[in-house]
Amino acid sequence: YIEVARAEGTIGMINALTKAFDVDAIPGVVDLYLGSIPDATFFNRTRSLQYSDFTPINIGSLTLKTTIAFIVTNVSGTIKMRATARAQAPSSPTTLHFSQPYPQTQTVSTGGASIGALVTSLLSNLEITVTLNVLPIVNLDLTVAGLLKPIVGGVLSPVLTTVLNSTVNPLLDLLGVRIGQAVVTAYGVYTLCSVSGWAYSDANHNGTRELGEAGTGLTLYAKLVNATSPSTVAQYATVDTSTGAYSFTNVVGANYSLLIDNNTTTSDVTATTPALWVPTDPRTQSRSIAVTVFDLPNQNFGLFNGSMLSGRVFQDTGVGSGTANNAVRDGTELTLPGATVAATNAAASTTYDTTVSATDGLYTLWIPASAGATSVKITETNPASYTSVGAAVGTTSGTYDRTTDTVTFTNSVGATYANVNFADVPSNQFDTDGRQTVLPGNVAFYPHSFTAGTAGTLTLTTTPAAALTGWTNLAYRDANCKGVTDSGAVAIRRLRTGTRRRRSHLSDPSV
């Protein structure tokens, strides 16, 4: 019977910069027993084996010729034996130093645990018991036992050595154990950190956890996915339904995806948004993090109970080879910041949310779950000096009314709507007549300036203000935009223009 205790090791000095460290290792104790023991006792792992658990085993018989009362007599008997040997662990540990590259394996041994030393120790402790089938003869059995001990030891020594070397040690080696050795494998130096945060109800949908914003009341889980094993969840943590808090401990330094999900399945590495809710920050309900040498708190996930709608306000002027007034942002058409967009109920009596388009023209509206599956209106209020020319209903499947500049659709709680875009153009501007005083025989010039807000067709006509004797009206094309009638200027009756500025001059040459 062989009992091999596991080795012990203690991590010593760690150098996080060079990723080196020491291990103080002590090989495990090895106990050898010869004898007989009940199976129930041997396989009882609640205590260590004791030498007293073993009873001597019968290894043979013997016959002695002896003279008793001057008569030569054959005396028979039985031979039994038992023995024990222990390879003691060293009194002090052996220090093993590990450094890159990893993994790296080192072995520490104790000299007293060599197989030859164990066999010698075992046989030196050999107990031989001889029982003779005669009346007790003083010290005869002890004398015989003493004579047999070196004989039995000589027979067992090569047998035990062969068994231990050829069978036992290779078998233990398959389990990562060798007699009298501690095999230590280092896989590297890792920094263990914590990652924590909240998955909270973002009632004001601003993407920031504020005082009073607690959990969602939903069954949710936070998952960590190591970038080196992107198809398997490395760890998961339960999100507290009341507070929304979650926490990971003992996270190895690496790059991870951190996400919120509704299950603990380790093969599911895709975030799942709860029904009737939409993420506020991050919008994907997943974020990339790098765990290095510091804990990562405040890795928060905001969730809004309701729907979200987004779009853009832009100037549909056809700039950059685009098509003007088609409610599609093409070419290099500019965005339009500063436009007010609101979400209301069908009667416009309840405003769910309102916002102003940003520098890039983008806007986002949040419709609470209390709105329900009812008709919702998205209305734009143009900035000053702008005119609506159309809108795109995006993914709402709704309708657009240009008169009220409103998109109307049926809301679905928890939905995310996109590309509800409003097209505006600068309002056209026409600078008209003024008042002048001239002497008889002179000419009065009246420049007219038209500024087009978008591409299109313009027709200009001249009509006398009153039937005055001696006055006529003529329009001249100002080809060089000087604001005066040059010599050779041609009078015209009709002007057509696109996005360029045109100027006409009215005069009465008959005065």
Side-chain angles (χ1 to χ4, degrees):
Y1 295 91
I2 304 174
E3 187 171 48
V4 182
R6 67 182 181 183
E8 295 182 359
T10 303
I11 296 177
M13 181 279 300
I14 301 176
N15 188 326
L17 296 179
T18 63
K19 295 189 180 301
F21 69 102
D22 292 340
V23 173
D24 295 328
I26 300 178
V29 175
V30 181
D31 290 326
L32 294 183
Y33 299 96
L34 289 177
S36 178
I37 186 173
D39 287 346
T41 303
F42 182 78
F43 290 107
N44 181 4
R45 302 305 185 195
T46 62
R47 67 179 183 86
S48 298
L49 295 179
Q50 306 294 324
Y51 186 48
S52 58
D53 294 329
F54 292 83
T55 58
I57 55 174
N58 190 344
I59 63 169
S61 62
L62 79 163
T63 300
L64 299 178
K65 279 185 179 294
T66 184
T67 302
I68 301 176
F70 303 102
I71 300 173
V72 177
T73 304
N74 292 330
V75 178
S76 63
T78 58
I79 306 172
K80 295 183 179 180
M81 72 173 182
R82 70 172 180 169
T84 183
R86 164 167 287 197
Q88 297 288 351
S91 58
S92 60
T94 300
T95 299
L96 304 176
H97 181 73
F98 293 90
S99 60
Q100 300 185 85
Y102 294 104
Q104 185 181 135
T105 299
Q106 296 187 43
T107 302
V108 59
S109 301
T110 173
S114 67
I115 290 177
L118 275 174
V119 170
T120 299
S121 175
L122 183 72
L123 297 179
S124 66
N125 294 325
L126 187 64
E127 294 183 17
I128 298 293
T129 303
V130 175
T131 303
L132 300 175
N133 298 323
V134 296
L135 293 175
I137 301 175
V138 178
N139 295 328
L140 179 59
D141 53 350
L142 296 178
T143 301
V144 173
L147 294 173
L148 288 177
K149 183 174 180 179
I151 298 173
V152 173
V155 172
L156 290 179
S157 178
V159 175
L160 291 175
T161 301
T162 301
V163 169
L164 292 176
N165 272 321
S166 302
T167 304
V168 177
N169 225 7
L171 180 61
L172 292 175
D173 195 26
L174 295 175
L175 305 176
V177 180
R178 291 188 69 87
I179 293 177
Q181 291 184 351
V183 180
V184 182
T185 298
Y187 292 92
V189 175
Y190 304 95
T191 301
L192 299 181
C193 300
S194 67
V195 177
S196 60
W198 286 267
Y200 64 98
S201 176
D202 192 5
N204 62 358
H205 49 74
N206 67 346
T208 301
R209 180 177 176 269
E210 297 164 327
L211 185 65
E213 291 183 330
T216 62
L218 305 171
T219 300
L220 298 174
Y221 302 91
K223 291 181 175 180
L224 273 177
V225 181
N226 196 311
T228 59
S229 301
S231 59
T232 304
V233 174
Q235 293 188 53
Y236 67 83
T238 302
V239 177
D240 189 283
T241 57
S242 177
T243 65
Y246 72 89
S247 179
F248 295 95
T249 58
N250 297 329
V251 179
V252 176
N255 293 322
Y256 293 91
S257 292
L258 175 61
L259 57 95
I260 298 297
D261 209 343
N262 60 1
N263 61 72
T264 59
T265 304
T266 57
S267 59
D268 182 3
V269 294
T270 303
T272 302
T273 302
L276 309 182
W277 295 72
V278 292
T280 60
D281 181 53
R283 295 286 175 82
T284 60
Q285 208 168 297
S286 174
R287 63 173 76 248
S288 297
I289 61 172
V291 177
T292 54
V293 295
F294 300 105
D295 294 336
L296 289 181
N298 299 317
Q299 301 301 307
N300 300 336
F301 295 85
L303 292 164
F304 176 74
N305 188 202
S307 308
M308 184 186 76
L309 183 143
S310 62
R312 187 190 300 268
V313 183
F314 67 98
Q315 301 182 49
D316 195 9
T317 58
V319 172
S321 301
T323 301
N325 315 315
N326 66 344
V328 177
R329 187 175 180 233
D330 48 17
T332 57
E333 292 176 332
L334 302 177
T335 60
L336 181 58
T340 301
V341 188
T344 67
N345 61 354
S349 58
T350 300
T351 299
Y352 300 125
D353 193 19
T354 183
T355 188
V356 175
S357 59
T359 303
D360 55 5
L362 293 176
Y363 73 90
T364 300
L365 293 172
W366 302 87
I367 305 167
S370 59
T374 58
S375 181
V376 172
K377 288 186 175 182
I378 308 299
T379 303
E380 182 213 6
T381 302
N382 299 330
S385 303
Y386 277 84
T387 301
S388 296
V389 295
V393 299
T395 59
T396 65
S397 299
T399 59
Y400 172 67
D401 180 18
R402 183 169 176 266
T403 303
T404 59
D405 206 9
T406 299
V407 172
T408 303
F409 68 98
T410 300
N411 179 53
S412 176
V413 179
T416 299
Y417 301 104
N419 301 320
V420 181
N421 302 330
F422 290 92
D424 298 337
V425 296
S427 301
N428 297 330
Q429 184 177 346
F430 186 51
D431 297 326
T432 57
D433 303 339
R435 173 179 294 184
Q436 297 185 36
T437 301
V438 295
L439 296 175
N442 292 312
V443 177
F445 293 92
Y446 287 93
H448 290 63
S449 179
F450 176 82
T451 303
T454 184
T457 300
L458 172 69
T459 299
L460 295 176
T461 60
T462 59
T463 302
L468 299 177
T469 303
W471 288 85
T472 60
N473 296 279
L474 293 175
Y476 290 86
R477 181 167 183 175
D478 187 8
N480 55 14
C481 293
K482 293 171 65 177
V484 298
T485 304
D486 296 322
S487 176
V490 178
I492 58 176
R493 294 298 182 184
R494 183 169 182 171
L495 297 176
R496 297 177 65 85
T497 183
T499 58
R500 297 182 60 188
R501 179 177 295 179
R502 293 289 185 261
R503 211 173 259 176
S504 61
H505 307 285
L506 303 182
S507 63
D508 186 352
S510 65
V511 178

